[in-house]
Amino acid sequence: MDDQGLEVLLALAKEYPKGFRDLLMRVFEVERLFEADDQRELAQQRVSDLVSAYASEHASAEPR
Amino acid sequence: MKLRRLAIRNFGPYYDEALIEFPSDASRNVLLIYGDNMRGKTSILNAIRWCLYGVAKDRQGEPLTLLKLVNRYGQEQGQWEAVVDLDFEASGKVYKLRRVAKLRTRLARPKSNDDFTLSQFLEIQGQAVTADQVPIEIGRVCPEQISRFVLFDGELLQEYEALLIEESEQSKKIKAAIEQVLGIPAIQNGLIDCKTLLRRAQAMQAKQVKQTDSLRAQAENLEHLQAVLSQKEKEWYRLGEQERVIGGEITALDVYLASVKAAEQRAEQVRSAKAAIAAHEVAKREAEDERFSILKDAWQDVLQPMLRSRLVDLDLEAKSFNEVTERRGGLAERIKQLNALILQRICPVCEAEPSEEKRATLARSLAEAEQELKEISVDESRRNEVLQTIQDLRSVGSRDSVQRLTEVDKRVHRAEMGITEKQSLLDSLNREITSVDTGEIAQQRQLRDQKQQTLGVVRASKAAAEREISETVSKIDNLSAMLARADAGRHHKVTLEVETYRQLGDLFENGIAQFREDVRGDVEKAASEIFCRLTTEPNYSGLQINEQYGLSILDSRRHVVPLRSAGAEQIVALSLIAGLNNVSGKDTPMIMDTPLGRLDAKHRKKVLEALPDMAGQVVLLVHDAEIGVQAGLEEIAPRVASRLDIQRVSETRSRLVRRVE
């Protein structure tokens, strides 16, 4: 069922670049690992790290 | 999750260790545990629940205190330590869980849960887990919210009816549990986390963009809006906290009022018991008065043997008086006749003149009769005395005192028994009732109503704050997007972060709706298939799911069947549980207490045929009437791994033994 959740998200993100879809998968994995209410801060820190790394990687490559 | 072994000691009716080995073979995955009522079937369900979550419940769903959980025989022996061990597997790892309740030191007898210490120990793959991590690990394997789909009472499945009632508290809890089973929280949390991180990134964006002169005003506006949002969010949290506190106070008042209601009911029972005692006391007093009255005349019964003897004598004497009187009457008549004969000259028989000899004979007879009449005189005074005495003695009749006393004693005994019984009930009720102050109750009810009104105001304010937050967030997002476009790459890392969080947030938001829609469809399909297998009504075509995961039965024209019986309710609930297990992909066991209680024979047969396929392990706590040797067993027999009997040892003790057929 967890995979089905990810499948739904990936289907919605099918127009997005692969890098973003990979990020989405990693963020979903974090959320699945830290599902409990008392783990929100930990999950947010991990997601923040993932997005920061993604932005660093793509910022210069995809100037806006 | 696969259960391996359960060991129960001094818990429920199990004083000595009760050991259950769960089925390990997928083709024989059913364990049948037989027990008559009150022997300890529900205690097995409760032992698992208590070991996992520290809670055991009665059939009303109310938590049971440790005083009720510790074995009564153990309590009599001064043994207050209850232990439950549960071994299971999950994700390829072996878990060994133990929960222990112990009496605090220096206490001889506990009065409440506070007098116990509770400990929980967990080993995963032989490695001990720290105490604070134990609930987290248990939550990962089988969260308490989803345990209602694992451990349940077949007769209480109608609680799923609450799913059909939109916005009921029970409905919300069950929906949350279902969504937890289905894995929706991961996406929900993704949305929450991305939104939170988006706000932070937007703050960073404003700070950085402000350095560009041409965008400073917009950036400052963005900062202002963020400050406004922060303020409104604080207000929203404050209102939320207020809502939580007031809600808690209302719940506490509800609990108090419910307990008072129970106390009021107890008070009514007390009044009734007191009235019954008073009635018994009146009956006892009346019986005792009657006994006194019987005893007052009982001397008559004591005298009866002597009276009877005396009466016999007096009757004989009276009889002799009568005989004498009759004799005297006879003699007087004879004298009269003899005198008449003597005076007559002609014999009335032969019409001849009597001879002298004959006359002499008549004269002799007359003389003899007169002599005899003189001799047998009656003492009239004595005779009257005898007759009066007889009359007096006869008036001293038998009182049947012994029999009447026996009856009265029985009535007194019955009244005393009634008093003792009601007094015992009264003592028990009085222990339960501390005090029922009607004034206090009225005050608390009024307070609850006031709190409910305040809660309504707080909720309205919170809803208004939510609208303002939503509007502010919309403004922030628009301004942030405009700044990103205008910034044109000068601070593009933070801009990209903002954009990424927004996109991730949008995906999670849309994903929740999509995922819910998908899983609802999957649950509906799986539950419908199982329902069609279980139902005996050929016109039913399946089930229809609603937003709350409530299921309605559809007829052959796909119209909702408006009314359904308790048995149909149970079938629908079973279909939902099996459908959830099927869709969630979580291999959870199913432990059902009294699973077939509401079902007729045909449904019972169908459910029994389907149950082994509803979960990886199926444990059925049944009595012989549900799955007996005569009927029921044949449907399930090929899938049964083992059968256990709960045997009575004494009123307070049961034991588990392997069933021998």
PDB file of all heavy atoms in Angstrom, chain B residues 78-79 101 125 129 167 171 176 183 190 195 208 313 329 341 372 405 437 471 506 584 587-588 657:
ATOM      1  N   GLY B  78      -2.267 -13.355  47.924  1.00  0.00           N
ATOM      2  CA  GLY B  78      -1.351 -12.231  48.117  1.00  0.00           C
ATOM      3  C   GLY B  78      -0.399 -12.071  46.947  1.00  0.00           C
ATOM      4  O   GLY B  78       0.614 -11.373  47.048  1.00  0.00           O
ATOM      5  N   GLN B  79      -0.714 -12.725  45.830  1.00  0.00           N
ATOM      6  CA  GLN B  79       0.147 -12.669  44.648  1.00  0.00           C
ATOM      7  C   GLN B  79      -0.443 -11.636  43.685  1.00  0.00           C
ATOM      8  O   GLN B  79      -1.483 -11.863  43.074  1.00  0.00           O
ATOM      9  CB  GLN B  79       0.188 -14.072  44.005  1.00  0.00           C
ATOM     10  CG  GLN B  79       0.828 -14.153  42.645  1.00  0.00           C
ATOM     11  CD  GLN B  79       2.258 -13.663  42.614  1.00  0.00           C
ATOM     12  OE1 GLN B  79       2.502 -12.488  42.368  1.00  0.00           O
ATOM     13  NE2 GLN B  79       3.187 -14.546  42.896  1.00  0.00           N
ATOM     14  N   ALA B 101       2.845  -6.181  35.668  1.00  0.00           N
ATOM     15  CA  ALA B 101       2.231  -5.280  36.659  1.00  0.00           C
ATOM     16  C   ALA B 101       2.626  -5.810  38.031  1.00  0.00           C
ATOM     17  O   ALA B 101       2.458  -6.994  38.314  1.00  0.00           O
ATOM     18  CB  ALA B 101       0.719  -5.276  36.517  1.00  0.00           C
ATOM     19  N   GLN B 125      15.328  -9.148  17.895  1.00  0.00           N
ATOM     20  CA  GLN B 125      16.464  -9.979  17.472  1.00  0.00           C
ATOM     21  C   GLN B 125      17.465 -10.140  18.620  1.00  0.00           C
ATOM     22  O   GLN B 125      18.674 -10.044  18.409  1.00  0.00           O
ATOM     23  CB  GLN B 125      17.167  -9.343  16.254  1.00  0.00           C
ATOM     24  CG  GLN B 125      16.318  -9.297  14.995  1.00  0.00           C
ATOM     25  CD  GLN B 125      16.114 -10.660  14.365  1.00  0.00           C
ATOM     26  OE1 GLN B 125      15.216 -11.388  14.765  1.00  0.00           O
ATOM     27  NE2 GLN B 125      16.942 -11.015  13.409  1.00  0.00           N
ATOM     28  N   VAL B 129      15.524  -3.223  23.880  1.00  0.00           N
ATOM     29  CA  VAL B 129      15.146  -1.887  23.415  1.00  0.00           C
ATOM     30  C   VAL B 129      14.913  -1.032  24.653  1.00  0.00           C
ATOM     31  O   VAL B 129      14.339  -1.509  25.634  1.00  0.00           O
ATOM     32  CB  VAL B 129      13.844  -1.992  22.575  1.00  0.00           C
ATOM     33  CG1 VAL B 129      13.292  -0.620  22.243  1.00  0.00           C
ATOM     34  CG2 VAL B 129      14.094  -2.784  21.307  1.00  0.00           C
ATOM     35  N   GLU B 167     -19.062  12.695  10.521  1.00  0.00           N
ATOM     36  CA  GLU B 167     -18.564  13.608  11.549  1.00  0.00           C
ATOM     37  C   GLU B 167     -18.784  13.132  12.982  1.00  0.00           C
ATOM     38  O   GLU B 167     -18.628  13.910  13.895  1.00  0.00           O
ATOM     39  CB  GLU B 167     -19.185  15.016  11.394  1.00  0.00           C
ATOM     40  CG  GLU B 167     -18.837  15.703  10.079  1.00  0.00           C
ATOM     41  CD  GLU B 167     -17.351  15.803   9.804  1.00  0.00           C
ATOM     42  OE1 GLU B 167     -16.604  16.157  10.732  1.00  0.00           O
ATOM     43  OE2 GLU B 167     -16.936  15.479   8.688  1.00  0.00           O
ATOM     44  N   SER B 171     -16.585   7.889  14.301  1.00  0.00           N
ATOM     45  CA  SER B 171     -16.330   7.789  12.863  1.00  0.00           C
ATOM     46  C   SER B 171     -14.957   8.358  12.529  1.00  0.00           C
ATOM     47  O   SER B 171     -14.200   7.783  11.751  1.00  0.00           O
ATOM     48  CB  SER B 171     -17.434   8.544  12.124  1.00  0.00           C
ATOM     49  OG  SER B 171     -17.043   8.838  10.825  1.00  0.00           O
ATOM     50  N   ALA B 176      -9.492   7.525  10.862  1.00  0.00           N
ATOM     51  CA  ALA B 176      -8.054   7.751  11.051  1.00  0.00           C
ATOM     52  C   ALA B 176      -7.318   6.421  11.121  1.00  0.00           C
ATOM     53  O   ALA B 176      -6.237   6.258  10.546  1.00  0.00           O
ATOM     54  CB  ALA B 176      -7.817   8.562  12.326  1.00  0.00           C
ATOM     55  N   GLY B 183      -1.891   3.621   4.849  1.00  0.00           N
ATOM     56  CA  GLY B 183      -0.648   4.340   4.563  1.00  0.00           C
ATOM     57  C   GLY B 183      -0.846   5.783   4.152  1.00  0.00           C
ATOM     58  O   GLY B 183       0.043   6.389   3.557  1.00  0.00           O
ATOM     59  N   GLY B 190       3.723  14.566   4.568  1.00  0.00           N
ATOM     60  CA  GLY B 190       4.491  15.207   3.495  1.00  0.00           C
ATOM     61  C   GLY B 190       3.935  16.593   3.213  1.00  0.00           C
ATOM     62  O   GLY B 190       4.681  17.563   3.076  1.00  0.00           O
ATOM     63  N   LYS B 195       4.623  22.330   3.613  1.00  0.00           N
ATOM     64  CA  LYS B 195       4.032  23.659   3.858  1.00  0.00           C
ATOM     65  C   LYS B 195       4.848  24.429   4.889  1.00  0.00           C
ATOM     66  O   LYS B 195       5.102  25.616   4.747  1.00  0.00           O
ATOM     67  CB  LYS B 195       2.585  23.516   4.336  1.00  0.00           C
ATOM     68  CG  LYS B 195       1.611  23.299   3.194  1.00  0.00           C
ATOM     69  CD  LYS B 195       0.187  23.409   3.678  1.00  0.00           C
ATOM     70  CE  LYS B 195      -0.763  23.448   2.487  1.00  0.00           C
ATOM     71  NZ  LYS B 195      -2.156  23.481   2.901  1.00  0.00           N
ATOM     72  N   GLN B 208      16.537  37.672   1.397  1.00  0.00           N
ATOM     73  CA  GLN B 208      17.564  37.793   0.364  1.00  0.00           C
ATOM     74  C   GLN B 208      17.161  38.798  -0.722  1.00  0.00           C
ATOM     75  O   GLN B 208      17.967  39.609  -1.162  1.00  0.00           O
ATOM     76  CB  GLN B 208      17.825  36.421  -0.261  1.00  0.00           C
ATOM     77  CG  GLN B 208      18.545  35.495   0.711  1.00  0.00           C
ATOM     78  CD  GLN B 208      19.049  34.229   0.048  1.00  0.00           C
ATOM     79  OE1 GLN B 208      19.000  34.083  -1.169  1.00  0.00           O
ATOM     80  NE2 GLN B 208      19.555  33.308   0.865  1.00  0.00           N
ATOM     81  N   ASP B 313     -61.771 -39.512  79.959  1.00  0.00           N
ATOM     82  CA  ASP B 313     -62.376 -39.890  81.250  1.00  0.00           C
ATOM     83  C   ASP B 313     -63.741 -39.230  81.429  1.00  0.00           C
ATOM     84  O   ASP B 313     -64.729 -39.872  81.824  1.00  0.00           O
ATOM     85  CB  ASP B 313     -61.462 -39.480  82.411  1.00  0.00           C
ATOM     86  CG  ASP B 313     -60.166 -40.283  82.390  1.00  0.00           C
ATOM     87  OD1 ASP B 313     -60.138 -41.332  81.680  1.00  0.00           O
ATOM     88  OD2 ASP B 313     -59.186 -39.867  83.033  1.00  0.00           O
ATOM     89  N   GLY B 329     -85.116 -43.584  82.605  1.00  0.00           N
ATOM     90  CA  GLY B 329     -86.260 -43.313  81.737  1.00  0.00           C
ATOM     91  C   GLY B 329     -86.994 -44.608  81.391  1.00  0.00           C
ATOM     92  O   GLY B 329     -88.234 -44.692  81.429  1.00  0.00           O
ATOM     93  N   LEU B 341    -101.082 -52.205  83.931  1.00  0.00           N
ATOM     94  CA  LEU B 341    -101.497 -53.609  83.786  1.00  0.00           C
ATOM     95  C   LEU B 341    -102.159 -54.095  85.073  1.00  0.00           C
ATOM     96  O   LEU B 341    -103.148 -54.815  85.045  1.00  0.00           O
ATOM     97  CB  LEU B 341    -100.293 -54.491  83.457  1.00  0.00           C
ATOM     98  CG  LEU B 341     -99.787 -54.397  82.002  1.00  0.00           C
ATOM     99  CD1 LEU B 341     -98.483 -55.139  81.845  1.00  0.00           C
ATOM    100  CD2 LEU B 341    -100.859 -54.982  81.079  1.00  0.00           C
ATOM    101  N   GLU B 372     -85.168 -50.663  91.700  1.00  0.00           N
ATOM    102  CA  GLU B 372     -84.002 -50.339  90.850  1.00  0.00           C
ATOM    103  C   GLU B 372     -83.952 -48.831  90.567  1.00  0.00           C
ATOM    104  O   GLU B 372     -82.889 -48.223  90.579  1.00  0.00           O
ATOM    105  CB  GLU B 372     -84.074 -51.104  89.521  1.00  0.00           C
ATOM    106  CG  GLU B 372     -82.792 -51.011  88.736  1.00  0.00           C
ATOM    107  CD  GLU B 372     -82.860 -51.818  87.438  1.00  0.00           C
ATOM    108  OE1 GLU B 372     -83.834 -52.580  87.198  1.00  0.00           O
ATOM    109  OE2 GLU B 372     -81.917 -51.685  86.634  1.00  0.00           O
ATOM    110  N   LEU B 405     -45.536 -22.593  63.796  1.00  0.00           N
ATOM    111  CA  LEU B 405     -44.221 -22.039  64.146  1.00  0.00           C
ATOM    112  C   LEU B 405     -43.194 -22.334  63.051  1.00  0.00           C
ATOM    113  O   LEU B 405     -42.358 -21.492  62.717  1.00  0.00           O
ATOM    114  CB  LEU B 405     -43.732 -22.617  65.479  1.00  0.00           C
ATOM    115  CG  LEU B 405     -44.259 -21.911  66.729  1.00  0.00           C
ATOM    116  CD1 LEU B 405     -43.832 -22.676  67.978  1.00  0.00           C
ATOM    117  CD2 LEU B 405     -43.760 -20.480  66.804  1.00  0.00           C
ATOM    118  N   ASP B 437     -24.158  14.546  45.206  1.00  0.00           N
ATOM    119  CA  ASP B 437     -24.678  15.834  45.621  1.00  0.00           C
ATOM    120  C   ASP B 437     -25.424  16.429  44.427  1.00  0.00           C
ATOM    121  O   ASP B 437     -24.824  16.832  43.439  1.00  0.00           O
ATOM    122  CB  ASP B 437     -23.493  16.715  46.038  1.00  0.00           C
ATOM    123  CG  ASP B 437     -23.941  18.074  46.517  1.00  0.00           C
ATOM    124  OD1 ASP B 437     -25.079  18.457  46.205  1.00  0.00           O
ATOM    125  OD2 ASP B 437     -23.146  18.747  47.192  1.00  0.00           O
ATOM    126  N   GLU B 471      -6.162  33.229   3.357  1.00  0.00           N
ATOM    127  CA  GLU B 471      -6.049  34.413   2.489  1.00  0.00           C
ATOM    128  C   GLU B 471      -4.621  34.954   2.505  1.00  0.00           C
ATOM    129  O   GLU B 471      -4.062  35.301   1.462  1.00  0.00           O
ATOM    130  CB  GLU B 471      -7.016  35.503   2.973  1.00  0.00           C
ATOM    131  CG  GLU B 471      -8.473  35.196   2.647  1.00  0.00           C
ATOM    132  CD  GLU B 471      -9.448  36.050   3.445  1.00  0.00           C
ATOM    133  OE1 GLU B 471      -9.001  37.035   4.096  1.00  0.00           O
ATOM    134  OE2 GLU B 471     -10.656  35.724   3.451  1.00  0.00           O
ATOM    135  N   ASP B 506       2.020  20.788  -3.398  1.00  0.00           N
ATOM    136  CA  ASP B 506       0.861  20.609  -4.295  1.00  0.00           C
ATOM    137  C   ASP B 506       0.678  19.130  -4.632  1.00  0.00           C
ATOM    138  O   ASP B 506      -0.452  18.613  -4.663  1.00  0.00           O
ATOM    139  CB  ASP B 506       1.063  21.405  -5.591  1.00  0.00           C
ATOM    140  CG  ASP B 506       0.892  22.900  -5.364  1.00  0.00           C
ATOM    141  OD1 ASP B 506       0.400  23.265  -4.269  1.00  0.00           O
ATOM    142  OD2 ASP B 506       1.265  23.682  -6.257  1.00  0.00           O
ATOM    143  N   SER B 584      -4.384  -3.188   2.432  1.00  0.00           N
ATOM    144  CA  SER B 584      -3.218  -2.602   3.110  1.00  0.00           C
ATOM    145  C   SER B 584      -1.941  -3.384   2.817  1.00  0.00           C
ATOM    146  O   SER B 584      -0.848  -2.845   2.881  1.00  0.00           O
ATOM    147  CB  SER B 584      -3.452  -2.589   4.619  1.00  0.00           C
ATOM    148  OG  SER B 584      -3.361  -3.904   5.129  1.00  0.00           O
ATOM    149  N   ASP B 587       0.369  -7.971   6.579  1.00  0.00           N
ATOM    150  CA  ASP B 587      -0.031  -9.333   6.941  1.00  0.00           C
ATOM    151  C   ASP B 587      -0.314  -9.396   8.438  1.00  0.00           C
ATOM    152  O   ASP B 587       0.471  -9.948   9.212  1.00  0.00           O
ATOM    153  CB  ASP B 587       1.076 -10.309   6.539  1.00  0.00           C
ATOM    154  CG  ASP B 587       0.628 -11.746   6.715  1.00  0.00           C
ATOM    155  OD1 ASP B 587      -0.594 -11.977   6.825  1.00  0.00           O
ATOM    156  OD2 ASP B 587       1.499 -12.626   6.765  1.00  0.00           O
ATOM    157  N   THR B 588      -1.428  -8.787   8.847  1.00  0.00           N
ATOM    158  CA  THR B 588      -1.751  -8.760  10.275  1.00  0.00           C
ATOM    159  C   THR B 588      -2.622  -9.954  10.647  1.00  0.00           C
ATOM    160  O   THR B 588      -3.436 -10.404   9.842  1.00  0.00           O
ATOM    161  CB  THR B 588      -2.517  -7.466  10.633  1.00  0.00           C
ATOM    162  OG1 THR B 588      -3.561  -7.303   9.696  1.00  0.00           O
ATOM    163  CG2 THR B 588      -1.611  -6.271  10.603  1.00  0.00           C
ATOM    164  N   VAL B 657      -5.869 -26.218  27.853  1.00  0.00           N
ATOM    165  CA  VAL B 657      -5.367 -27.558  27.525  1.00  0.00           C
ATOM    166  C   VAL B 657      -5.653 -27.848  26.061  1.00  0.00           C
ATOM    167  O   VAL B 657      -6.605 -27.306  25.487  1.00  0.00           O
ATOM    168  CB  VAL B 657      -6.013 -28.659  28.397  1.00  0.00           C
ATOM    169  CG1 VAL B 657      -5.623 -28.513  29.843  1.00  0.00           C
ATOM    170  CG2 VAL B 657      -7.526 -28.641  28.256  1.00  0.00           C
TER     171      VAL B 657
END
